[in-house]
Amino acid sequence: MNRHAPQLRSSSRKRGPRATERGAWIPGISAFTRVFDAPCAGMNGIDRREFITLLAATTAAWPRAARAQEAGRTYRLGFLLPSARQTPPIEALFDELRLNGFIEGKNLAVVPGGFESIDDNLAERAAALVRAAPDAIISGPAPPLRALQAVTRTIPLIGMSEDMVGEGLVASLAHPGGNITGISLLSPELDGKRQEILIEAVPGARRIAAMADSRSTQPFHLEALQHAARSRGLELLVFGVNGPEEIAAAIDAAKASSAEALNFLATPLFSLPGTRNNAIVMERIAVVRLPAIFQWPETAEAGALAGYGPRYLEMYRQRARMVARILRGANPADVPVEQPARFQLVINLKAAKALAHEVPAGLVLRADEVIE
């Protein structure tokens, strides 16, 4: 278990609503409420002067960002993302913005044209988006963020990528500098943890495959994974993919090379739930009948054997809270890059049954969610 990830809980139940989904907590408001909830006679012993003093102190305790949201203003938000507008993650993002006081159609307007942005048109769409001069832009992964960096150093960019420091997008997590902040997904560390889980899930395997995005996966990262596999007595084959058109062929090549399980390394090329690329992956692994693990728990819920990492929807909610801070006036150079705080292991026993594969009971017991 790496130092960033908590121990996997031995519970198959989903947790209840997150506190962050119940809206922002404003320090001091409970004291203000207790005053008003007190009996009316003499305001429970508090005279008018004391009450005004308490109210002033309470108001001063509110975050300055909360007071910086301008009444009557419509904030303009841009997007440069590979996903479509009508998808669960984007809906979760807008819901979290609503909980933080930014409501589309009231005080929030979306600059059109930034969804379903693919590599072929990133530069053109980035330039058009910057010309529209939004108050902030939500983007990611690394390619669209770089396209935006090339045309603006002033509009705040709230990104999400596999390793924001390693990809050169920010100077550091604590002090990003420039006009980019956002979420760094700990992907290099979590790829190794997923490999450990996959080896445990397929205990008889002697050869496994790592499916990598050739355009972004660093050689030293692959070497570390191969070394870890060798230390467990396994051979790790690496299959690089340069684009969607190569996905099916790479999976077939892994099968032909006698790989017994697949670790799809963290990259939007494979793992974004609900995308066309992910549909290709899911269809092909069903054909070759190989157990596979992915970076998002939602992918296991959609039919893969296993998924380990932060929940995709929660990452969009977390990013929405950062967007709210920026819209209220925070400087992205001073807003630390955040990382996932909670990781989940999902095991899909229905998928295992379809593969005629038995997942060891110990791993099933440690899963946060088991699909039967």
Side-chain angles (χ1 to χ4, degrees):
M1 184 69 65
N2 67 63
R3 62 185 178 89
H4 298 289
Q7 294 293 321
L8 299 177
R9 298 181 175 87
S10 58
S11 170
S12 62
R13 295 182 300 168
K14 293 185 178 180
R15 304 296 190 267
R18 294 174 289 271
T20 51
E21 294 179 351
R22 294 193 290 268
W25 173 70
I26 302 177
I29 198 69
S30 57
F32 178 72
T33 303
R34 285 195 296 272
V35 171
F36 266 121
D37 286 345
C40 294
M43 295 188 70
N44 200 27
I46 300 176
D47 64 24
R48 180 175 181 274
R49 179 175 297 176
E50 291 173 330
F51 171 73
I52 292 173
T53 300
L54 176 59
L55 177 59
T58 299
T59 304
W62 295 358
R64 283 184 293 173
R67 300 202 304 270
Q69 188 170 329
E70 300 175 20
R73 177 180 173 182
T74 297
Y75 295 83
R76 301 177 69 249
L77 187 59
F79 290 83
L80 195 65
L81 296 171
S83 55
R85 170 66 175 83
Q86 302 300 327
T87 57
I90 301 299
E91 291 171 359
L93 181 142
F94 278 104
D95 181 59
E96 193 68 32
L97 284 172
R98 177 187 61 80
L99 293 173
N100 281 269
F102 296 94
I103 303 172
E104 187 178 11
K106 292 187 177 180
N107 65 343
L108 183 68
V110 175
V111 177
F115 293 101
E116 298 183 272
S117 299
I118 57 176
D119 292 350
D120 292 342
N121 61 7
L122 283 179
E124 179 182 343
R125 288 200 179 191
L129 187 55
V130 168
R131 285 195 298 270
D135 295 296
I137 300 173
I138 297 174
S139 187
L145 283 168
R146 291 196 182 101
L148 287 165
Q149 273 187 318
V151 290
T152 182
R153 295 288 177 169
T154 56
I155 297 175
L157 309 177
I158 303 92
M160 184 168 73
S161 75
E162 309 304 337
D163 181 2
M164 293 192 79
V165 175
E167 292 164 325
L169 296 169
V170 297
S172 71
L173 297 180
H175 303 286
N179 62 327
I180 294 184
T181 187
I183 299 174
S184 189
L185 291 171
L186 297 171
S187 294
E189 296 93 331
L190 292 177
D191 279 338
K193 179 59 186 176
R194 281 184 284 268
Q195 178 170 289
E196 293 175 16
I197 294 171
L198 185 63
I199 292 171
E200 186 175 354
V202 190
R206 290 295 173 263
R207 178 178 292 175
I208 60 176
M211 313 304 293
D213 187 337
S214 300
R215 302 165 299 180
S216 60
T217 308
Q218 298 296 319
F220 69 85
H221 179 38
L222 297 173
E223 291 167 5
L225 292 173
Q226 288 178 318
H227 176 75
R230 284 195 298 271
S231 70
R232 299 285 297 271
L234 283 84
E235 180 183 5
L236 176 67
L237 308 175
V238 177
F239 293 88
V241 177
N242 289 299
E245 67 282 354
E246 298 182 8
I247 291 175
I251 294 172
D252 290 345
K255 175 70 172 181
S257 299
S258 300
E260 297 165 83
L262 306 176
N263 181 10
F264 283 87
L265 304 187
T267 166
L269 180 62
F270 300 132
S271 298
L272 291 183
T275 62
R276 182 171 61 251
N277 289 0
N278 188 242
I280 294 171
V281 170
M282 299 295 282
E283 291 170 4
R284 205 65 205 162
I285 62 174
V287 170
V288 300
R289 295 176 59 79
L290 286 176
I293 191 168
F294 292 83
Q295 74 178 117
W296 305 111
E298 289 94 333
T299 311
E301 292 170 346
L305 176 70
Y308 176 70
R311 294 197 73 85
Y312 192 51
L313 263 64
E314 174 54 32
M315 291 299 92
Y316 270 75
R317 288 190 177 275
Q318 184 174 342
R319 185 154 48 157
R321 295 189 287 273
M322 299 187 75
V323 172
R325 291 181 62 188
I326 297 298
L327 292 179
R328 289 172 180 145
N331 184 345
D334 301 325
V335 176
V337 173
E338 297 183 5
Q339 296 175 306
R342 183 183 175 208
F343 306 86
Q344 286 190 322
L345 172 62
V346 176
I347 300 291
N348 191 325
L349 294 183
K350 289 177 64 176
K353 184 177 180 180
L355 297 170
H357 175 74
E358 184 175 351
V359 179
L363 184 60
V364 174
L365 288 173
R366 297 208 316 277
D368 297 280
E369 181 185 351
V370 176
I371 300 171
E372 299 180 282

